[in-house]
């Protein structure tokens, strides 16, 4: 595997707006290979926007700034090219796709990722084995995978399916946008175990969450605080504990 | 003093000449039908049911009538059949509107196919009248009372003409009391010079059940297809069309539920690209109590193509307890693609449940983005969404064999679309049956 000389993800002075309204302003963020970075911040501070911009959602206007991933200019790439290079976004609200069976979809995505790396398609038994292993780990009923993608899935099932897809695609950078919201206590543990199983010196995680509890399961190396479209503080895991006690008031003022 | 001068179009003048010189006018029935046609001439936008298809303007001339097939044409037809995967247990082959016995199968005892003029159906439409006037031959397929035909019956309409030809075909399908059959009609071989006027009369006696699939895959300049149906008490008709070819396709359906508790399910998937146009115009009349009608049509429209759906469900006074639902849905793939949708209800009874709706839109960008974040390129994601859109329509035929027959041309069209959009092989490797 390629070993990047610099950080895996480097965001420099990124300003983003939507319909002319600024959402991210001069945002700087660095994530290193092997790192688990948490992002916490009040509602509407721009966390999902940041996640979408990393994944390449077309609606946003990049006003200025840069995003480098493994030394490549991410902003030049289509969402699928970013995914093929190893960027993965687990959606805060996974999208329902009626008429497309979950299994069929996952097989197509896995093969698309493999082909982009010059690998051949997986055989069906090989694919089925991987799905079986991953769904057992995430305690997802395989019968569900015959149903149309995300359609009629409960909130928690959708989140687990996101992690299942992540486990199959084995990305380099995993951006998890509030994967813990909507999960019951047991599911939170199952999903965290799934994420921890993927921890690797070559892989990085950007974990967006509102709750310290997730970070008890997925121990972060760094915690960033986001307010009003920028990173206003960074620290160790203790920062999350402090936020839990005191809320965001101090940081909201800092950003203003 | 000037008399009222009728300005005939070139095509109308040619049709008048053809009608005289081909000695068709000696039959009073044909003469009467031609009279009904020529009174209004080729339909224009001023005819409500032809509002979106100005045939008079579209038809620059009427092509010469196709002659009876010679041995060369029969060999060409044989070659077309050999190239296709055989779907049906029993096949009837019409070449340029005429039965070619040597290409047909022997039917089981309860089924017959004979040369015979069907009993008239009262439908007021110029192209229906023209079909009656100009069809040299007519056939009737009969399924005997109580017969349940197990295998699929296929009626194949083949055109082999290399140059401009007009082709008329006329077939009636009669299902006896309590009879049931699955039918497939395929239109094959027509090139861009062919003008086709095809008519089918479907008569279902009490308790008869038919599943009927129509495939329009070839590239006629003009494909006009009229279907006239009558359902007696408790009869059920499920009719589905897939259109993937033809420069100008007009399908017009006139169905009537004449007995109580009849049930009709009409559906279609229209696939349009380039400058092709396709018009589906249907009328379902509920004339008896407790009938059910469903019309679900879907279209995928790309490039500068134009799709039209006009549906009218009429619930007569006597048709209390009617249950009707009609829906037209279209996906536009290009900013210049167009869809006209006009579903209508005309309800004269008071105790009915009827609804209709129409949607026209592009593929959902949120869905496309989600799919692309999982590594699929835009094109592959689009194809997948389109396949799902079409599959939902096809599934309504509720018959595995017929659904399979519909998927083949659908996937072929999707693959051609992909090639046109991105180049490359156009292979759709993700296709798997969803079960
Ligand atoms: N499509 C849009 N149109 C207009 N405003 C938008 C759009 N998308 C996001 N915003 C605005 O951008 C801001 C940041 O939204 P974002 O979803 O990134 O916040 P967040 O930090 O993820 O919040 P939460 O914790 O509630 O998930 C919000 O004020 C939101 O209303
Ligand atoms: Mg959010």
């Amino acid at each position: 595997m390629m070993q990047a000389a610099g950080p895996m993800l480097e965001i420099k002075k990124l300003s983003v707006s939507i319909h002319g309204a600024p959402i991210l302003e001069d945002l700087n963020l660095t994530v290193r290979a092997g790192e688990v970075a948490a992002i916490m911040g009040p509602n509407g501070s721009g966390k999902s926007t940041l996640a979408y911009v990393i994944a390449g959602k077309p609606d946003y206007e990049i006003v200025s700034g840069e995003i480098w991933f493994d030394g490549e200019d991410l902003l030049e790439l289509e969402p699928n090219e970013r995914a093929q290079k190893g960027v993965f976004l687990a959606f805060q609200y996974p999208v329902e796709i009626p008429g497309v069976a979950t299994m069929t979809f996952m097989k197509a995505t896995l093969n698309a990722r493999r082909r982009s790396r010059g690998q051949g398609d997986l055989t069906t038994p090989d694919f089925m084995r991987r799905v079986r292993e991953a769904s057992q780990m995430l305690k997802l009923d395989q019968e569900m995978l015959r149903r149309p993608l995300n359609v009629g899935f409960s909130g928690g099932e959708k989140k687990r399916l996101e992690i299942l897809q992540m486990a199959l695609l084995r990305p380099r950078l995993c951006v998890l946008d509030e994967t813990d919201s909507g999960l019951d206590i047991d599911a939170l543990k199952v999903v965290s175990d799934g994420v921890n199983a993927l921890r690797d010196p070559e892989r990085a995680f950007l974990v967006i969450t509102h709750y310290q509890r997730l970070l008890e399961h997925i121990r972060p190396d760094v915690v960033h605080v986001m307010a009003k479209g920028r990173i206003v503080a960074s620290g160790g895991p203790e920062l999350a504990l402090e936020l839990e006690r005191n809320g965001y008031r101090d940081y909201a003022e800092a950003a203003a | 003093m000037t008399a009222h001068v009728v300005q005939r179009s070139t095509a109308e003048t040619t049709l008048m000449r053809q009608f005289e010189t081909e000695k068709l006018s000696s039959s009073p029935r044909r003469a009467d039908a031609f009279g009904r046609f020529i009174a209004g001439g080729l339909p224009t936008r001023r005819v409500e049911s032809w509002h979106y298809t100005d045939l008079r303007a579209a038809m620059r001339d009427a092509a010469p009538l196709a002659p009876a097939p010679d041995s060369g044409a029969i060999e060409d037809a044989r070659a077309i059949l050999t190239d296709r995967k055989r779907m049906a247990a029993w096949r009837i082959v019409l070449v340029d509107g005429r039965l070619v016995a040597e290409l047909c199968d022997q039917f089981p005892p309860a089924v017959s196919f004979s040369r015979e003029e069907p009993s008239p159906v009262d439908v007021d439409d110029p192209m229906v009248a023209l079909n009656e006037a100009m069809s040299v031959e007519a056939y009737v397929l009969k399924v005997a009372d109580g017969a349940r035909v197990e295998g699929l019956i296929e009626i194949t309409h083949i055109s082999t003409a290399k140059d401009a030809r007009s082709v008329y075909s006329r077939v009636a399908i009669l299902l006896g009391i309590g009879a049931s059959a699955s039918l497939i009609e395929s239109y094959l071989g027509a090139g861009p010079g062919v003008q086709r006027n095809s008519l089918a009369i479907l008569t279902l006696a009490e308790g008869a059940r038919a599943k009927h699939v129509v495939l329009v895959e070839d590239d006629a300049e003009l494909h006009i297809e009229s279907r006239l149906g009558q359902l007696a008490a408790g009869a059920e008709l499920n009719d589905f069309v897939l259109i993937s070819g033809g420069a100008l396709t007009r399908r017009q359906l006139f169905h009537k539920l004449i007995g109580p508790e009849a049930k009709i399910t009409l559906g279609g998937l229209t696939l349009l690209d380039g400058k092709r146009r396709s018009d589906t115009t249907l009328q379902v009349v509920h004339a008896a109590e407790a009938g059910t009608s469903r019309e679900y049509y879907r279209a995928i429209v790309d490039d500068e193509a134009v799709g039209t759906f006009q549906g009218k469900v009429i619930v007569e006074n006597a048709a209390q307890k009617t249950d009707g639902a009609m829906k037209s849905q279209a996906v536009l793939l290009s900013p210049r693609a167009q869809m006209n949708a006009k579903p209508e209800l005309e309800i004269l009874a008071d105790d009915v449940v009827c609804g209709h709706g129409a949607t026209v839109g592009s593929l959902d960008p949120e869905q496309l983005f989600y799919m692309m974040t999982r590594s699929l390129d835009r094109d592959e994601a689009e194809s997948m969404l389109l396949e799902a859109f079409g599959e939902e329509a096809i599934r309504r035929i509720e018959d595995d064999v017929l659904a399979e027959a519909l998927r083949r041309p659908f996937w072929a069209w999707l693959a051609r679309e992909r090639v046109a959009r991105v180049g490359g092989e156009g292979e759709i490797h993700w296709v798997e049956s969803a079960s």
Side-chain angles (χ1 to χ4, degrees):
Chain A
M1 191 175 273
M2 174 167 87
Q3 177 60 63
M8 180 188 282
L9 179 75
E10 195 167 20
I11 301 178
K12 294 182 187 166
K13 293 175 98 55
L14 181 69
S15 294
V16 170
S17 64
I18 186 155
H19 311 312
I23 298 178
L24 303 183
E25 282 187 280
D26 268 343
L27 183 139
N28 293 295
L29 177 69
T30 299
V31 181
R32 278 168 229 291
E35 191 173 276
V36 174
I39 295 191
M40 302 183 81
N43 294 132
S45 55
K47 303 181 297 297
S48 292
T49 302
L50 174 63
Y52 279 144
V53 169
I54 292 172
K57 195 163 196 230
D59 317 342
Y60 299 98
E61 187 198 340
I62 311 298
V63 179
S64 58
E66 297 160 25
I67 305 182
W68 296 91
F69 175 68
D70 279 342
E72 260 188 283
D73 184 355
L74 213 51
L75 293 174
E76 290 294 312
L77 303 178
E78 291 293 318
N80 56 307
E81 295 170 320
R82 300 182 195 200
Q84 287 161 5
K85 295 206 181 293
V87 175
F88 183 91
L89 168 62
F91 280 50
Q92 182 173 1
Y93 304 107
V95 179
E96 299 188 0
I97 320 261
V100 175
T102 306
M103 201 71 106
T104 309
F105 176 75
M106 293 195 307
K107 189 167 182 210
T109 60
L110 188 49
N111 283 334
R113 168 122 157 95
R114 289 175 63 86
R115 256 178 269 134
S116 74
R117 291 190 291 186
Q119 295 169 313
D121 286 7
L122 279 180
T123 62
T124 300
D126 210 2
F127 169 72
M128 295 305 290
R129 184 181 48 75
R130 292 184 191 208
V131 170
R132 194 167 49 244
E133 285 169 8
S135 47
Q136 275 163 4
M137 180 177 73
L138 291 159
K139 302 215 164 43
L140 251 177
D141 182 3
Q142 276 205 75
E143 272 306 302
M144 255 182 52
L145 306 180
R146 295 175 180 278
R147 290 176 18 204
L149 187 58
N150 288 323
V151 177
F153 288 21
S154 77
E157 287 166 346
K158 286 181 183 169
K159 295 301 179 70
R160 271 185 282 172
L161 187 65
E162 292 290 278
I163 302 306
L164 174 67
Q165 293 183 58
M166 188 172 93
L168 288 174
L169 290 169
R170 310 191 70 79
R172 295 251 301 138
L173 173 67
C174 307
V175 182
L176 308 184
D177 190 359
E178 292 197 29
T179 299
D180 52 336
S181 66
L183 291 181
D184 65 39
I185 296 161
D186 296 335
L188 184 68
K189 171 110 179 43
V190 166
V191 164
S192 305
D193 289 347
V195 171
N196 287 329
L198 289 171
R199 282 182 86 146
D200 183 297
E202 295 295 334
R203 186 172 286 129
F205 293 84
L206 198 54
V207 181
I208 297 169
T209 183
H210 286 296
Y211 304 107
Q212 155 64 20
R213 182 157 60 215
L214 177 71
L215 304 180
E216 283 167 11
H217 293 289
I218 305 172
R219 301 288 304 164
D221 301 301
V222 204
V223 175
H224 300 286
V225 183
M226 195 161 167
K228 299 198 171 154
R230 49 179 97 192
I231 304 292
V232 292
S234 302
E238 70 288 350
L239 188 50
L241 289 167
E242 187 214 306
L243 289 173
E244 187 102 328
R245 282 195 303 272
N246 302 335
Y248 292 113
R249 187 171 301 142
D250 301 346
Y251 298 102
E253 279 158 18
Chain B
M1 204 183 92
T2 30
H4 178 65
V5 179
V6 183
Q7 183 73 48
R8 294 288 176 209
S9 73
T10 309
E12 285 163 349
T13 309
T14 305
L15 285 165
M16 289 167 81
R17 187 172 35 80
Q18 287 175 345
F19 186 66
E20 291 305 323
T21 54
E22 300 288 329
K23 308 220 172 14
L24 296 165
S25 55
S26 57
S27 144
R29 182 180 57 78
R30 290 178 193 282
D32 177 63
F34 196 81
R36 277 181 278 129
F37 162 72
I38 207 68
L42 288 166
T44 66
R45 286 172 174 281
R46 281 193 294 277
V47 180
E48 194 200 341
S49 61
W50 286 83
H51 182 71
Y52 296 99
T53 301
D54 191 332
L55 190 61
R56 196 170 193 264
M59 228 175 130
R60 254 177 272 145
D61 200 353
L65 296 176
D70 57 16
S71 57
I74 292 171
E75 282 323 298
D76 289 350
R78 195 191 300 278
I80 289 172
L81 292 170
T82 313
D83 283 351
R84 289 179 94 230
K85 187 172 165 231
R86 191 184 171 106
M87 293 176 281
W90 294 287
R91 190 160 63 194
I92 297 162
V93 179
L94 303 182
V95 176
D96 292 336
R98 279 105 164 165
L99 182 72
V100 177
E102 60 186 282
L103 298 177
C104 298
D105 297 316
Q106 191 71 42
F107 274 117
V111 181
S112 67
F113 191 76
S114 57
R115 198 177 155 189
E116 188 180 325
E117 176 57 33
S119 14
V121 178
D122 183 24
V123 164
D124 178 21
D125 176 85
M127 301 317 279
V128 169
L130 186 65
N131 181 281
E132 183 171 2
M134 303 294 279
S135 292
V136 177
E137 301 200 353
Y139 301 94
V140 178
L141 174 76
K142 284 189 192 133
V143 180
D145 289 353
R148 299 183 177 277
V149 184
E150 288 301 329
L152 187 59
I153 300 172
E154 180 171 23
I155 303 175
T156 310
H157 302 262
I158 301 181
S159 299
T160 57
K162 306 283 181 290
D163 39 15
R165 284 288 182 255
S166 54
V167 175
Y168 293 86
S169 66
R170 189 169 176 79
V171 176
I173 298 166
L174 262 66
L175 266 72
I177 298 169
S180 71
S182 293
L183 299 122
I184 181 163
E185 262 183 88
S186 320
Y187 291 92
L188 299 170
V194 170
Q195 297 177 344
R196 175 185 282 142
N197 182 330
S198 182
L199 181 132
I201 297 171
L202 312 168
T203 308
L204 275 65
E206 287 77 18
R209 288 162 174 241
K211 288 201 173 182
H212 197 148
V213 155
V214 177
L215 304 177
V216 184
E217 291 181 68
D218 60 6
D219 295 311
E221 171 195 347
L222 193 59
H223 173 100
I224 295 175
E225 192 192 323
S226 309
R227 306 183 82 76
L228 286 47
Q230 291 218 331
L231 280 71
E236 285 185 24
L237 172 65
N238 187 335
D239 174 292
F240 193 98
V241 65
L242 185 134
I243 300 169
S244 62
L248 173 56
T249 313
R250 157 85 175 188
R251 285 192 96 234
Q252 41 183 13
L253 284 60
F254 306 88
H255 291 304
K256 198 162 183 178
L257 281 60
I258 54 172
E261 293 180 22
K263 184 174 178 185
I264 191 163
T265 307
L266 305 174
L269 179 60
T270 303
L271 309 165
L272 288 167
D273 52 81
K275 294 185 187 229
R276 295 173 46 222
R277 302 176 68 99
S278 178
D279 174 338
T280 298
T281 294
L282 67 85
Q283 191 183 73
V284 171
V285 179
H286 285 267
E289 267 193 17
T292 305
S293 62
R294 295 285 180 273
E295 299 82 23
Y296 290 123
Y297 283 82
R298 288 191 165 191
I300 302 174
V301 191
D302 197 4
D303 305 322
E304 295 161 55
V306 183
T308 293
F309 173 80
Q310 288 192 98
K312 189 186 266 183
V313 174
I314 299 169
V315 182
E316 292 183 347
N317 247 323
Q320 300 295 353
K321 310 265 184 235
T322 288
D323 170 1
M326 171 164 48
K327 202 169 184 181
S328 152
Q329 291 170 293
V331 172
L332 305 183
L333 296 179
S334 120
R336 280 181 296 173
Q338 278 183 55
M339 181 73 198
N340 308 303
K342 195 172 146 206
E344 283 180 284
L345 298 173
E346 209 175 285
I347 302 178
L348 304 169
D350 45 32
D351 181 15
V352 301
V353 181
C354 284
H356 67 77
T359 61
V360 179
S362 43
L363 291 176
D364 182 352
E366 301 289 326
Q367 293 181 337
L368 284 172
F369 171 63
Y370 180 82
M371 295 170 92
M372 289 172 77
T373 66
R374 305 295 140 98
S375 289
L376 297 183
D377 62 35
R378 176 176 304 279
D379 220 67
E380 196 170 358
E382 283 183 355
S383 292
M384 247 186 176
L385 291 177
L386 292 176
E387 197 218 348
F389 178 79
E391 179 61 32
E392 249 175 78
I394 289 173
R395 203 175 293 150
R396 289 186 177 273
I397 193 73
E398 291 178 351
D399 179 299
D400 291 343
V401 176
L402 292 175
E404 211 41 52
L406 292 161
R407 277 182 201 117
R408 184 189 45 77
F410 176 38
W411 291 349
W413 185 84
L414 282 181
R416 283 203 302 278
E417 266 286 291
R418 277 193 85 187
V419 174
R421 295 176 141 243
V422 285
E425 290 152 37
E427 178 208 8
I428 33 179
H429 43 77
W430 39 263
V431 164
E432 273 176 76
S433 77
S435 60

